[in-house]
Amino acid sequence: MKLDSPQKESYSKDRISALKAQRLAQEIAFAPVVFQVSRLMIKFGIFRMLDDSKEGLTQAEIVEKSGISKYGVQCLLESSLTIGTVLYKNERYYLAKAGWFLINDAMVKANLDFNHDVNYLGLFNLEESILNGKPEGLKVFGSWPTIYEGLSQLPPEVQQSWFGFDHFYSDNSFDMALDIIFNRNNTKNLLDVGGNTGRFATRCVAYKDNINVTIMDLKGQLEMMRKATAGIEGADRISGHPCNLLDPAEPFPTGFDAIWMSQFLDCFAEEQVVSILSRAAASMQKNTKLFIMETLWDKQKYETASYCLAQTSIYFTAMANGNSKMFHSEDLTRLIGESGLTIEQEYHYLGLGGHSIIQCIKE
């Protein structure tokens, strides 16, 4: 496995002193406490109060403004002070930089909501998931084999956080993706594989009035898509093709200029990825392009992004399917080759989520 900068510099040697390493070890030990305290400081509006009060607030003022007991406020403030999200001087509390990011960084919000609503309870069963190769944590919501079969039946707040996480990362790359697919390659008829609620499809039909999109997905997802796109201009140019993509005997429909897979292949084990790509290749004509958009953890401008992606892999282990992860670029390249496809062009560092688009053709 090869690593490029900045990951190579970050992961090839210890970056911190022994004292800081000891502190990090304790932060790991108390990580669930740190997470929940910080979440409640956001939910109860205490971080926001401190951000709005440049002169700081006393503990009594926070009690009065929040409506929470003195005991509750004191516990949260003292914990947050030692975490490093608030500061204390002259008997007053102030918002620290980390606290500011917790309430102002949209990516942090998406990650925090996703981890609390979708992952938190199920992560207790991570050990079983790793040993059994199944998403054992998913049983906190239902008995589906993967989260995708149950997505339309999850509690509303869980659905909201799941889609909020998914959409936040993909939406910021859509403009560049539209240019690559429709301008640089003159696509008119697109197959959107795993298109979920039709978010990308609606962007496509709004981009040009001669574009038609077929979404290939599970029946339940297509029902959600039809509800989500109802009444949207251009929805008459969006159709559905129900399919269980895990069935190796299920062929891809033919006759498309391009096939689009956005944040999709990371939902499957390697042998399933080869099966899906091989069937896609079988459906492609000489001039058909296949576009794969993924957040590759080794193709990130900032190490923090690589950190977030590596932790997201654990969601797949415990909650989603038990056998997939965020790709390293070498792994995805190898699987593409095993499927009878050739990489024609690569685009990296797209959008806030550090997406890559891999443009493939049939050998």
Side-chain angles (χ1 to χ4, degrees):
M1 180 179 72
K2 295 181 180 178
L3 293 177
D4 299 326
S5 180
Q7 290 78 10
K8 185 176 182 180
E9 289 77 12
S10 297
Y11 303 145
S12 61
K13 59 183 179 181
D14 262 332
R15 295 169 282 173
I16 55 178
S17 67
L19 190 62
K20 289 183 178 179
Q22 184 186 42
R23 164 71 185 218
L24 175 59
Q26 294 293 359
E27 289 175 350
I28 293 169
F30 281 99
V33 177
V34 171
F35 179 88
Q36 290 296 353
V37 166
S38 301
R39 185 184 70 86
L40 291 178
M41 290 288 283
I42 298 169
K43 181 175 182 179
F44 295 153
I46 298 175
F47 282 153
R48 184 61 66 189
M49 293 174 203
L50 295 174
D51 192 38
D52 292 339
S53 303
K54 303 307 177 186
E55 302 302 318
L57 293 171
T58 65
Q59 178 179 293
E61 288 171 334
I62 295 171
V63 168
E64 181 180 0
K65 287 176 176 289
S66 67
I68 301 169
S69 70
K70 175 185 174 183
Y71 167 78
V73 167
Q74 185 176 12
C75 285
L76 292 174
L77 286 173
E78 290 176 357
S79 175
S80 298
L81 182 63
T82 59
I83 291 167
T85 52
V86 303
L87 303 171
Y88 183 71
K89 55 185 176 181
N90 300 325
E91 303 294 322
R92 305 182 79 81
Y93 287 92
Y94 300 82
L95 189 67
K97 291 177 183 176
W100 185 92
F101 277 104
L102 280 165
I103 58 173
N104 290 296
D105 189 319
M107 186 181 296
V108 171
K109 174 175 170 43
N111 291 341
L112 190 142
D113 289 346
F114 179 67
N115 278 313
H116 179 256
D117 293 327
V118 180
N119 298 329
Y120 198 87
L121 295 177
L123 283 172
F124 188 82
N125 300 109
L126 177 60
E127 179 179 350
E128 298 171 68
S129 301
I130 289 176
L131 293 175
N132 300 337
K134 296 179 180 179
E136 302 290 3
L138 184 57
K139 60 191 175 187
V140 301
F141 296 124
S143 57
W144 314 286
T146 73
I147 201 170
Y148 310 108
E149 285 92 338
L151 196 56
S152 61
Q153 303 170 60
L154 291 174
E157 68 277 6
V158 179
Q159 281 191 25
Q160 183 177 351
S161 293
W162 192 96
F163 283 112
F165 179 83
D166 182 70
H167 293 163
F168 176 83
Y169 286 100
S170 60
D171 287 2
N172 286 286
S173 301
F174 279 171
D175 287 341
M176 287 157 280
L178 292 168
D179 177 57
I180 291 168
I181 296 171
F182 297 110
N183 291 336
R184 304 185 196 186
N185 289 279
N186 195 31
T187 298
K188 301 270 192 314
N189 201 12
L190 179 71
L191 179 65
D192 182 358
V193 184
N196 258 326
T197 57
R199 201 172 183 89
F200 184 68
T202 58
R203 291 288 299 275
C204 292
V205 296
Y207 193 67
K208 290 184 179 181
D209 59 12
N210 62 346
I211 293 170
N212 292 278
V213 181
T214 299
I215 296 177
M216 185 178 182
D217 214 325
L218 293 166
K219 183 179 178 181
Q221 255 71 341
L222 293 180
E223 291 172 356
M224 294 175 68
M225 177 273 290
R226 291 187 181 96
K227 292 178 181 178
T229 59
I232 294 176
E233 186 174 353
D236 58 317
R237 289 182 278 120
I238 301 174
S239 59
H241 181 90
C243 174
N244 178 11
L245 285 153
L246 289 178
D247 183 353
E250 189 88 46
F252 272 53
T254 58
F256 295 93
D257 302 320
I259 300 172
W260 169 249
M261 299 179 181
S262 172
Q263 297 182 171
F264 171 72
L265 292 178
D266 55 40
C267 301
F268 301 96
E270 288 197 354
E271 62 272 17
Q272 295 168 335
V273 171
V274 173
S275 171
I276 291 168
L277 289 179
S278 297
R279 282 178 280 149
S283 75
M284 294 167 64
Q285 300 170 323
K286 182 178 180 180
N287 296 323
T288 305
K289 310 284 187 180
L290 170 64
F291 299 94
I292 300 169
M293 186 165 82
E294 290 287 347
T295 42
L296 307 173
W297 73 261
D298 64 310
K299 295 294 183 183
Q300 301 298 316
K301 289 182 180 179
Y302 305 105
E303 187 276 330
T304 298
S306 296
Y307 169 87
C308 293
L309 292 171
Q311 311 322 313
T312 300
S313 287
I314 305 304
Y315 146 76
F316 290 106
T317 307
M319 302 301 297
N321 52 36
N323 56 20
S324 73
K325 60 185 289 294
M326 306 305 290
F327 289 108
H328 184 284
S329 59
E330 289 179 358
D331 293 326
L332 182 56
T333 298
R334 170 173 51 81
L335 297 173
I336 289 170
E338 290 175 8
S339 305
L341 294 163
T342 298
I343 295 176
E344 185 178 43
Q345 196 161 352
E346 298 183 27
Y347 306 87
H348 298 293
Y349 314 118
L350 307 177
L352 292 176
H355 282 80
S356 296
I357 294 180
I358 314 298
Q359 180 176 316
C360 306
I361 55 174
K362 190 175 181 178
E363 288 183 356

